[in-house]
Amino acid sequence: KQEVTQIPAALSVPEGENLVLNCSFTDSAIYNLQWFRQDPGKGLTSLLLIQSSQREQTSGRLNASLDKSSGRSTLYIAASQPGDSATYLCAVRANQAGTALIFGKGTTLSVSS
Amino acid sequence: DADVTQTPRNRITKTGKRIMLECSQTKGHDRMYWYRQDPGLGLRLIYYSFDVKDINKGEISDGYSVSRQAQAKFSLSLESAIPNQTALYFCATSDTSAPTPETQYFGPGTRLLVL
């Protein structure tokens, strides 16, 4: 059974710092991996999706990498801002037809000004 | 207007009552999903539908049922609500024909409290 783990569970940084959020998964046979952002009391917003054949994806100050063989992904946030404060969720889709996402429990990020 | 809408946004009900949560989407996506989110447990999949005639159980389907009334509508029912079904429920969609297939788009969530 696929399990997704995110470390740390919570992170506090001052504004301007670069930071890395970690995601690991137990079964390397994934179809793709997706990073989401969730603001308190709200739904999820997709940030980046990495296909299993890709190594990384970038969007603005965000960069997500994927090392499928080791079962790891990282989300790098450059020059953090208070508006980046949210919970970040990692999710994988198994390498099978007819399956949906398996989520980690998230990392709650707080960026202070 | 939001692409994925959920109604109601908040609901309080009593143990044993039947309730329905509704999800509608204007994105034209073929796939729809229901998840629940609990503190400390993350999001878990309840049911998913890959088209109107295709319904699949997820990780935690017991106590729930779904109906895909149309491509744009996917409803989740709790036949007899119990307190441990208190959670935040999310609907999501995805489009297999998209340039980045399987990117999921989430609704704003329904907060359910079962007393």
Side-chain angles (χ1 to χ4, degrees), chain B residues 40-99:
Chain B
L41 293 177
L43 277 87
R44 293 178 292 167
L45 182 65
I46 305 172
Y47 270 95
Y48 58 104
S49 169
F50 283 174
D51 64 42
V52 175
K53 297 182 179 180
D54 178 79
I55 303 289
N56 303 280
K57 292 183 178 180
E59 180 184 356
I60 52 164
S61 59
D62 288 348
Y64 301 95
S65 63
V66 292
S67 173
R68 185 85 183 264
Q69 302 96 322
Q71 186 184 37
K73 296 184 181 297
F74 193 35
S75 300
L76 176 71
S77 294
L78 285 68
E79 299 300 327
S80 179
I82 56 177
N84 76 3
Q85 291 178 312
T86 293
L88 184 56
Y89 289 84
F90 287 105
C91 174
T93 72
S94 66
D95 180 7
T96 51
S97 65

Side-chain angles (χ1 to χ4, degrees), chain A residues 6-7 14 17 23 26 28 36 39 41-42 44 46 55 65 67-68 73 76 78 80 83 87 89 97 105 111:
Chain A
Q6 292 186 247
I7 295 173
E17 275 204 6
C23 172
T26 54
S28 62
F36 293 88
D39 292 284
K42 296 187 178 181
L44 281 68
S46 178
R55 297 285 294 185
S65 68
D67 184 343
K68 199 173 111 170
S73 176
Y76 175 82
S80 59
T87 296
L89 297 165
K105 296 178 183 178
V111 181

Side-chain angles (χ1 to χ4, degrees), chain A residues 39-51:
Chain A
D39 292 284
K42 296 187 178 181
L44 281 68
T45 300
S46 178
L47 298 174
L48 291 164
L49 182 146
I50 309 177
Q51 301 294 349

Side-chain angles (χ1 to χ4, degrees), chain A residues 1 32 34 36 38 41-44 46 49 51 89 93 98-101 103 105, chain B residues 31 33 35 37 40-41 43 45 48 50 59 90 101-104 106-108 111:
Chain A
K1 178 184 175 183
N32 58 39
Q34 196 166 357
F36 293 88
Q38 184 178 23
K42 296 187 178 181
L44 281 68
S46 178
L49 182 146
Q51 301 294 349
L89 297 165
R93 181 171 181 239
T99 60
L101 295 174
F103 282 84
K105 296 178 183 178
Chain B
R31 299 186 173 190
Y33 311 80
Y35 294 89
Q37 186 177 37
L41 293 177
L43 277 87
L45 182 65
Y48 58 104
F50 283 174
E59 180 184 356
F90 287 105
E102 301 314 312
T103 297
Q104 292 198 8
F106 281 74
R111 191 169 296 278

Side-chain angles (χ1 to χ4, degrees), chain A residues 73-95:
Chain A
S73 176
T74 61
L75 179 66
Y76 175 82
I77 302 177
S80 59
Q81 302 171 357
D84 294 330
S85 298
T87 296
Y88 291 81
L89 297 165
C90 166
V92 301
R93 181 171 181 239
N95 193 17

